[in-house]
Amino acid sequence: MSVKPIVLLGDPRLRLKGEPVDSFGKYLHELLDDLTDTMRHAPGVGLAAPQLGVALQACVVEVEGQLHELVNPTIVRSSGDDRDLEGCLSIPGYAAYVTRRERIWVVAQNRLGRRIKVAGVGYLARAMQHEIDHLHGKLYIDYLASLDELISVGASEESAEEQPEGAELPTLVG
Ligand code: ZN
């Protein structure tokens, strides 16, 4: 287990579609442990394998003290809409308002390959959608009509003083 460098916007590895995981052994377990360590160190509420430069369908999400390890996840059902601020560990210093599904149901596998189901609403639903997007090479900025919609959030001492209204933390970052 170790904290790894996070791949940043501009690195083509962030845009690769993750391959399905078909081996549930030591390599996957170390990858999931590295994802969790790196996510917690950042800190963030989620991290996906492509953000560590690994093109595999594996990600972690941790909301309200509950860690979810999602391997080969698929959203099987969703409802409602929810608009809120969202940021990304691969795009440090920025956030933007993104509309997501308010409630989702995910089917995935755990680290042993067993089928699991996770239902999430609000913040957890948003975090899972953000990470599952990463597994398909998709970033939250892809939903914006213009990069002018990006809001600078506390990347430095100076910008922290210029936070616009509505940019109160915690903003989701994953
Ligand atoms: Zn992200």
Side-chain angles (χ1 to χ4, degrees):
M1 302 210 302
S2 52
V3 173
K4 304 281 189 187
I6 295 175
V7 171
L8 298 177
L9 181 65
D11 188 316
R13 290 176 294 173
L14 217 45
R15 293 300 192 172
L16 294 176
K17 184 170 162 53
E19 296 289 329
V21 173
D22 58 10
S23 176
F24 295 81
K26 188 165 176 239
Y27 178 82
L28 175 67
H29 298 171
E30 287 180 358
L31 172 62
L32 290 166
D33 290 342
D34 287 348
L35 284 167
T36 298
D37 285 354
T38 307
M39 169 188 69
R40 288 174 175 166
H41 180 260
V45 299
L47 198 67
Q51 292 177 282
L52 296 185
V54 179
L56 282 176
Q57 300 268 328
C59 63
V60 295
V61 172
E62 189 169 46
V63 172
E64 290 171 350
Q66 177 88 43
L67 177 68
H68 300 280
E69 295 180 335
L70 304 174
V71 180
N72 301 327
T74 308
I75 297 170
V76 292
R77 199 178 140 207
S78 65
S79 70
D81 285 327
D82 178 55
R83 188 167 172 80
D84 206 345
L85 270 180
E86 187 168 323
C88 180
L89 294 173
S90 295
I91 312 171
Y94 293 94
Y97 284 93
V98 179
T99 300
R100 298 278 190 184
R101 301 319 303 271
E102 184 186 22
R103 189 180 288 270
I104 64 168
W105 288 262
V106 173
V107 169
Q109 285 168 284
N110 68 10
R111 62 166 57 207
L112 302 176
R114 293 200 187 99
R115 189 172 184 269
I116 56 169
K117 290 187 208 172
V118 183
V121 63
Y123 201 72
L124 174 59
R126 177 172 297 273
M128 289 197 291
Q129 287 170 86
H130 181 109
E131 299 314 325
I132 291 170
D133 272 355
H134 271 301
L135 303 182
H136 297 91
K138 190 162 177 119
L139 303 172
Y140 81 87
I141 55 173
D142 300 343
Y143 296 104
L144 307 182
S146 157
L147 291 183
D148 292 341
E149 294 176 32
L150 285 175
I151 297 164
S152 181
V153 285
S156 63
E157 306 257 326
E158 305 94 78
S159 67
E161 293 170 17
E162 298 167 12
Q163 284 203 12
E165 252 180 81
E168 64 276 332
L169 297 178
T171 296
L172 180 147
V173 282

